[in-house]
Amino acid sequence: MSSHISYSKLEKTYTPDFRHKISTARNTNDVYNAFCYTVASMFNEITDTKKFRESDIDFYPERNCHYELGVNLKCEPSVVECLHTSDLGRILDDMAQTATNRHTHLMKHPERTNSKIMRH
C-alpha cells in the first residue's frame, strides 16, 4: 500500500503571498506570472533545487485543466512521484482556479483595472 504525502504546510506557506499577488494583479500577464512563479518556487522547494523557472509552467485559463507542466518538470522523477503520491495536484488545481478567476475578472472589466492604474 502506497503512502500519501501531504503538502499542506507548503500550501500554507505559499498561499498568502500568491493570493496577494493575484488580487493586486493589474493585468492578465501579472496573473500568469504570479501563478507560474509560485508553482516553480514550490517545485524548487519540494525537490530542494533551484533548477525550475516560470517558463517550465504554462497557464491556460481557457482550458479545463488550467495549467500544464513543461518538459523539465514532467521528466523529473521526484516531481512525477509527488504528483502521484500526494495532494500536490489538488493544491495546483486550487491555485490555478484562483488565478483563472482573477484572469476572467480582469478580462471582463478592463476599465476598472485601467482606472486603478491611473490613480496610482
Side-chain angles (χ1 to χ4, degrees):
M1 184 168 183
S2 65
S3 62
H4 188 76
I5 301 168
S6 177
Y7 287 104
S8 60
K9 284 186 180 180
L10 185 70
E11 179 182 21
K12 288 178 182 176
T13 301
Y14 281 92
T15 297
D17 187 49
F18 173 71
R19 288 191 181 271
H20 175 72
K21 287 178 182 176
I22 292 296
S23 67
T24 59
R26 293 182 172 190
N27 57 50
T28 56
N29 287 338
D30 290 348
V31 173
Y32 180 90
N33 291 336
F35 176 77
C36 295
Y37 175 80
T38 303
V39 173
S41 297
M42 289 173 67
F43 279 120
N44 283 332
E45 188 168 334
I46 289 168
T47 60
D48 201 25
T49 65
K50 301 271 188 230
K51 65 181 178 180
F52 302 117
R53 308 233 180 273
E54 299 88 34
S55 59
D56 292 322
I57 299 103
D58 285 318
F59 175 60
Y60 299 108
E62 67 280 352
R63 292 185 184 174
N64 285 339
C65 182
H66 302 298
Y67 65 93
E68 186 175 326
L69 303 179
V71 174
N72 290 341
L73 285 165
K74 288 180 182 178
C75 292
E76 180 69 32
S78 58
V79 169
V80 173
E81 182 181 345
C82 286
L83 289 171
H84 291 296
T85 62
S86 72
D87 60 349
L88 189 59
R90 184 218 30 100
I91 293 168
L92 295 178
D93 290 342
D94 290 350
M95 291 174 65
Q97 188 60 54
T98 299
T100 298
N101 292 346
R102 180 64 175 162
H103 184 277
T104 302
H105 175 77
L106 290 171
M107 292 298 290
K108 286 183 179 178
H109 304 289
E111 69 284 349
R112 287 186 192 173
T113 304
N114 290 335
S115 67
K116 286 180 183 178
I117 292 170
M118 298 302 286
R119 284 187 286 188
H120 290 282

